[in-house]
Amino acid sequence: MNEMENILVVNNLQTTFKTDAGDIRAVDGVSFTVPKGKTIGIVGESGSGKSITSLTILRLLASNGRVNGGEVLFKGKDLLKLPEKAMREIRGNQISMIFQEPMTSLNPVYTVGQQIGETIQIHKKVGKKEAIQQSIEMLKLVGIPSPEKRVKQYPHELSGGMRQRVMIAMALACDPEILIADEPTTALDVTIQAQILELIKDLQNRLGMSVIMITHDLGVVAETCDYVAVMYAGQVVEYSDVRSLFKNPKHPYTLGLLNSLPRHDIEQEKLIPIKGMVPSPHEMPVGCRFAPRCPVATELCHNKMPQLLNTNDSNAEQIRCWMFSDEWDGDSEVTLYGEKRTIKG
Amino acid sequence: MTKYIIRRLLQTIPVLLGVSILVFSLMFLIPGDPAQVMAGEGASAQTVENLREKLGLNDPAYVQYGRYLSSALQGDLGNSIRSGRPVMEEIQTRFWVTLEVAIYSTILAVFIGLIAGIISAVRHYTLTDVSIMIIALFGLSMPNFWLGLLLIQWFALGNLPFDIPFPEFLKMRPSGWGDTWRQMVLPVITLGTGGAAIIARMTRSSMLEVIGQDYIRTARAKGVSERVVIYRHALKNALIPVVTIIGLEFGGFLGGAVLTETIFAINGMGRLTIDAIRQRDFPVVQGTVLVISLLFVVVNLLVDISYKFLNKRIDLN
């Protein structure tokens, strides 16, 4: 392990869903680490398995979902092997989660105070009155004006941004060590998005927790994350710190993703989309999952699945691409999205 | 809230007016002459004619209706042709019996229906779920009169199927109401099971919908136990359509337990109605239908008010 303490280590996670059309491997070999106090972004398109990864960590999968393998080490303990009761003590207490849809994520029949208070009552074993008092403090912390009044209100009386703040207050009520934020700003107005991200960052600095930021928005990654795991079709294809990812993206998919974004630092005539479509979960390619869309894919890429490997001596940078292995059978110089590259192998 | 209740009560007036017109005109469409019935088969034409005149049956329809309505508003629904007693009095004595049957049946239906529905939803698509839903389908499809007769055969007469010896402590009384609990068991089961089946199915589908909601996932992510997720977070949200059904069932028990009351010889509203129809006792028929409609309206009002307590988003005003 590095000099830095990793609070969460996800190793080769595999999650499948039973459907009428057969089993779907939604998460297939996902690995990443979450250093203490840092923010890691999990970025990918819809259906890439990023939300399922986070639900698997907390073991909140729907009843047709199953974990087939891998481990989720939280402070050295494998969460996948804990009994349900021990897992409940972790949820909302040491690891908590906020969701994409603040409009529907709060129970409509209970007040804000009752819902935040419930978490506090369960985990801190305090009485109702004390819980409500602490809820008010939490509302204050997340910047909700007149919290004494808000605590008695029902979710429908609050705006979307307010509700997300309530969700954050609820998630942070028991000082968690990890906050999983599953697309926390996707459903909000742009102005509110910035406020919520700012709030999460600010609270992270004050409370010292780690954050797993799940998003499809590279802008959010750039603003908030220290490390990034890029996911494609249920796998992590690249993991690195945020600076090198933006400066020197390695995986062709990451490169394509960045190229399809507008940038203001260079002049672009038009944005270059990645050709093709995400493979259907029922018909995953045998080889590299990105191969059908990759401009430089070789026979090797189509036939054999690459592993997630370290690019240098530390495990701070990992990549799942044949180009970076000794087995690479293509040219030693390739052009990717208009950029010339020399291949290491 | 008070404003809402008053407004809803005012809204019931046109409904009841409509019902009274319907009930009143129905009498003209049904063959048979009440005066003839009252006077008896062998009465002379003159006697019948005198009686018609006395009862006002020769007046134009709208005059009869106006007369009926104005006295009804004063709580006078006329006199029974058969017994000569005021209809209001007849209804009052029968009403309490029916209300009691309805309350017990509803309690049984809600108790069984809610539990079965929740279990079914929590274990959906398992053998338990499928078994409960098949039983519910039976309960739903079984005609009350048939179930009633079957229960009498089995538990009152002691003729269990397949030559099973009959344990004496299960012996129930086949008729009447209220003297001993052994009289009350069979009719309550007869009425309650059908209601339970409907409530179970509604609870199941409503719970399944709620369990899929985002806020249920939030509750689980908070570390709440599965029991609390189901009973605290899901059930309260799932109850709204169920309460509607419970209200309708209760209303139905109040007005429509005609067959069950007849089979078990219970002197309730249903039997009063059916006897009145058989004997062409028009004022009684009119009175019972009117009262039953009024009860239905009141039950529905209560259901609507209960929504407010279940769902804070509903603004009654």
Side-chain angles (χ1 to χ4, degrees):
Chain A
M1 209 120 295
N2 291 9
E3 59 274 27
M4 213 153 17
E5 194 190 336
N6 287 324
I7 188 147
L8 189 82
V9 179
V10 176
N11 262 335
N12 196 24
L13 199 62
Q14 290 170 349
T15 307
T16 44
F17 283 93
K18 256 195 168 56
T19 68
D20 292 338
D23 286 6
I24 289 179
R25 287 199 159 194
V27 173
D28 194 4
V30 165
S31 308
F32 59 86
T33 51
V34 183
K36 196 173 168 141
K38 299 287 182 188
T39 301
I40 166 174
I42 299 181
V43 64
E45 295 166 78
S46 345
S48 61
K50 50 194 197 303
S51 288
I52 301 300
T53 302
S54 63
L55 290 174
T56 309
I57 292 172
L58 274 182
R59 288 183 24 202
L60 290 173
L61 293 171
S63 56
N64 60 338
R66 216 162 57 97
V67 185
N68 292 58
E71 49 184 13
V72 178
L73 298 173
F74 173 64
K75 296 203 277 188
K77 267 182 302 188
D78 189 355
L79 295 186
L80 300 178
K81 293 203 177 82
L82 283 187
E84 176 60 25
K85 190 163 178 288
M87 197 59 218
R88 280 207 302 269
E89 276 160 24
I90 287 177
R91 287 187 202 125
N93 190 17
Q94 290 166 287
I95 304 177
S96 50
M97 189 160 177
I98 56 176
F99 299 97
Q100 182 173 352
E101 288 291 340
M103 303 310 274
T104 52
S105 290
L106 290 166
N107 196 327
V109 303
Y110 294 109
T111 63
V112 165
Q114 284 170 325
Q115 296 189 56
I116 302 175
E118 188 181 29
T119 316
I120 298 170
Q121 271 180 287
I122 297 171
H123 296 299
K124 291 191 182 171
K125 312 272 186 282
V126 297
K128 216 175 192 163
K129 247 190 175 154
E130 174 63 25
I132 294 290
Q133 203 50 47
Q134 289 188 22
S135 306
I136 294 174
E137 290 303 314
M138 287 313 297
L139 290 178
K140 226 180 262 171
L141 185 72
V142 297
I144 288 183
S146 49
E148 290 85 2
K149 195 182 105 199
R150 294 292 182 186
V151 83
K152 292 189 200 111
Q153 287 186 326
Y154 289 90
H156 72 274
E157 297 171 84
L158 273 58
S159 67
M162 282 285 187
R163 287 192 217 183
Q164 197 59 295
R165 281 172 194 267
V166 169
M167 284 296 292
I168 294 172
M170 200 153 80
L172 301 187
C174 297
D175 290 324
E177 291 171 73
I178 301 175
L179 172 69
I180 302 175
D182 186 358
E183 306 249 9
T185 57
T186 307
L188 301 173
D189 292 344
V190 182
T191 46
I192 310 291
Q193 286 186 8
Q195 286 178 17
I196 295 290
L197 290 178
E198 195 56 45
L199 174 71
I200 293 176
K201 243 165 100 178
D202 176 47
L203 290 172
Q204 180 182 19
N205 290 338
R206 277 156 72 178
L207 307 173
M209 64 194 172
S210 309
V211 175
I212 300 176
M213 180 69 70
I214 291 159
T215 181
H216 64 268
D217 187 342
L218 284 166
V220 171
V221 172
E223 251 173 77
T224 58
C225 299
D226 301 302
Y227 297 90
V228 196
V230 180
M231 282 190 71
Y232 183 79
Q235 298 179 322
V236 171
V237 292
E238 182 163 357
Y239 174 84
S240 82
D241 71 277
V242 75
R243 265 171 184 280
S244 21
L245 187 96
F246 279 94
K247 242 174 92 184
N248 184 19
K250 294 206 167 55
H251 196 283
Y253 175 64
T254 317
L255 200 64
L257 214 54
L258 288 169
N259 264 302
S260 61
L261 285 179
R263 286 167 66 172
H264 55 77
D265 54 338
I266 53 168
E267 212 163 298
Q268 288 163 297
E269 278 191 15
K270 54 180 181 182
L271 299 174
I272 311 164
I274 304 174
K275 287 196 182 71
M277 295 225 297
V278 182
S280 143
H282 295 289
E283 298 160 38
M284 280 296 177
V286 246
C288 171
R289 292 192 172 167
F290 188 61
R293 301 172 75 184
C294 182
V296 296
T298 65
E299 203 157 310
L300 177 67
C301 302
H302 284 290
N303 292 328
K304 204 171 156 196
M305 165 127 37
Q307 298 303 307
L308 188 64
L309 297 171
N310 299 344
T311 53
N312 42 36
D313 299 333
S314 77
N315 60 0
E317 210 172 273
Q318 294 171 314
I319 192 153
R320 190 190 286 275
C321 179
W322 285 121
M323 271 203 287
F324 298 87
S325 86
D326 299 334
E327 289 173 61
W328 173 246
D329 60 343
D331 301 333
S332 58
E333 207 175 74
V334 294
T335 311
L336 258 173
Y337 302 102
E339 253 179 71
K340 266 203 164 54
R341 286 197 157 204
T342 312
I343 308 300
K344 168 192 160 191
Chain B
M1 185 70 117
T2 335
K3 229 169 97 188
Y4 172 78
I5 295 173
I6 291 169
R7 210 180 60 215
R8 276 298 304 265
L9 283 174
L10 288 177
Q11 281 171 358
T12 63
I13 292 174
V15 175
L16 291 175
L17 266 180
V19 171
S20 69
I21 291 173
L22 216 68
V23 165
F24 193 80
S25 46
L26 218 60
M27 290 303 135
F28 289 88
L29 302 172
I30 294 171
D33 181 355
Q36 182 74 57
V37 177
M38 269 180 90
E41 287 291 319
S44 70
Q46 187 56 47
T47 321
V48 173
E49 188 48 38
N50 286 344
L51 204 57
R52 288 182 64 83
E53 195 60 44
K54 195 182 136 208
L55 290 170
L57 293 175
N58 287 334
D59 292 336
Y62 66 89
V63 175
Q64 289 189 45
Y65 176 70
R67 194 160 52 215
Y68 175 70
L69 192 65
S70 83
S71 42
L73 286 175
Q74 297 163 47
D76 176 12
L77 293 173
N79 294 331
S80 160
I81 293 176
R82 278 277 152 178
S83 68
R85 290 172 60 205
V87 173
M88 218 40 181
E89 219 172 86
E90 294 260 13
I91 288 176
Q92 261 172 24
T93 49
R94 309 293 190 97
F95 170 72
W96 296 111
V97 175
T98 294
L99 184 69
E100 214 180 329
V101 178
I103 287 175
Y104 292 146
S105 305
T106 307
I107 289 173
L108 182 76
V110 170
F111 185 72
I112 298 176
L114 274 186
I115 290 177
I118 291 169
I119 292 175
S120 238
V122 172
R123 311 218 167 140
H124 61 288
Y125 305 133
T126 63
L127 189 67
T128 322
D129 173 31
V130 174
S131 320
I132 290 176
M133 282 305 115
I134 287 175
I135 295 169
L137 196 63
F138 264 106
L140 212 63
S141 326
M142 189 140 43
N144 272 348
F145 66 88
W146 186 68
L147 178 64
L149 290 175
L150 213 63
L151 288 175
I152 291 176
Q153 267 292 331
W154 290 352
F155 296 106
L157 303 180
N159 301 326
L160 285 179
F162 314 120
D163 278 333
I164 307 166
F166 186 81
E168 260 329 287
F169 72 92
L170 277 180
K171 186 124 179 143
M172 299 301 158
R173 296 231 341 235
S175 65
W177 179 263
D179 294 336
T180 139
W181 64 270
R182 286 184 191 275
Q183 290 179 326
M184 303 159 87
V185 171
L186 297 186
V188 166
I189 291 177
T190 305
L191 276 178
T193 43
I198 297 171
I199 292 170
R201 288 168 67 90
M202 188 46 113
T203 307
R204 177 182 183 270
S205 67
S206 182
M207 280 292 279
L208 278 182
E209 200 189 311
V210 170
I211 286 173
Q213 296 290 323
D214 288 346
Y215 53 79
I216 296 301
R217 189 183 54 189
T218 306
R220 293 198 175 114
K222 278 158 80 171
V224 169
S225 70
E226 198 55 27
R227 258 180 80 95
V228 177
V229 168
I230 297 300
Y231 289 100
R232 195 175 132 86
H233 288 271
L235 188 58
K236 198 169 171 193
N237 280 288
L239 272 183
I240 292 170
V242 179
V243 167
T244 313
I245 293 290
I246 294 173
L248 286 175
E249 285 294 303
F250 183 63
F253 292 157
L254 284 178
V258 175
L259 289 170
T260 310
E261 288 188 0
T262 308
I263 288 169
F264 290 101
I266 296 169
N267 271 323
M269 294 274 284
R271 246 185 113 206
L272 180 66
T273 315
I274 210 84
D275 288 347
I277 291 171
R278 216 180 269 143
Q279 298 162 350
R280 307 209 180 287
D281 197 342
F282 289 179
V284 177
V285 175
Q286 288 170 332
T288 49
V289 173
L290 208 59
V291 168
I292 288 167
S293 313
L294 178 69
L295 288 173
F296 227 97
V297 169
V298 171
V299 169
N300 273 313
L301 176 64
L302 291 177
V303 166
D304 283 357
I305 291 170
S306 74
Y307 287 167
K308 178 72 194 163
F309 294 99
L310 290 170
N311 189 342
K312 308 299 171 184
R313 279 170 300 187
I314 291 173
D315 184 5
L316 291 180
N317 295 317

